[in-house]
Amino acid sequence: MSEYNSRSDPAKVEPESGTPINSGGTTTSGSGYDRPTGAYSGTTGSGSDQQGMTDQAKEKAAEYGEKAQVQAEQAKDQAAGGMERAAEKIRERSESMDGTPAEAGTKVAEGMETAATYLKEHSTTEMWTDLEQYAKEHPGQALAGAVVTGFVLGRILR
């Protein structure tokens, strides 16, 4: 007869975990393992050790989050500077043209300057909040923008 059957009545099992229950109504798994799933339910170490590890993990996560925030801010500032330089070049070239191409170039330069100004004046957190709000108000346009952005990034990163 197996160890499993010798310690409990096989007909009595805890419904949630499938752990055998002995005649006194308590579970019989003494090893810390839930037999049907093999999941370990025991604890190792003291509670203070686990709390210390949890606190340490939270500190590391916060540290990495801060580093990511700083890098995002730097990338945002670089993007703003690049957009300003590109807008300036487009504006210079548009001045030497006539008609529709000149008007289109001027409009593109103005749009890039507006975007660069926005990037400079807002933090990444504010920009994320604005993006969420826009997506809620204009879900179709947000989806189309995400598809176009993904396509462009895919082509660039090839």
Side-chain angles (χ1 to χ4, degrees), residues 83-100:
M83 290 180 87
E84 284 180 330
R85 289 188 296 276
E88 189 176 312
K89 287 182 181 181
I90 290 171
R91 193 177 293 282
E92 288 173 4
R93 289 189 178 160
S94 296
E95 289 174 355
S96 64
M97 297 179 193
D98 291 328
T100 305

Side-chain angles (χ1 to χ4, degrees), residues 75-136:
K76 175 187 70 85
D77 292 340
Q78 288 176 347
M83 290 180 87
E84 284 180 330
R85 289 188 296 276
E88 189 176 312
K89 287 182 181 181
I90 290 171
R91 193 177 293 282
E92 288 173 4
R93 289 189 178 160
S94 296
E95 289 174 355
S96 64
M97 297 179 193
D98 291 328
T100 305
E103 291 175 21
T106 302
K107 291 246 185 225
V108 168
E110 287 172 359
M112 292 178 80
E113 288 168 345
T114 301
T117 300
Y118 175 82
L119 289 174
K120 284 182 172 183
E121 293 176 352
H122 294 84
S123 71
T124 53
T125 305
E126 292 171 326
M127 290 172 24
W128 188 255
T129 302
D130 289 349
L131 180 64
E132 287 176 338
Q133 186 65 32
Y134 182 83
K136 287 177 184 176

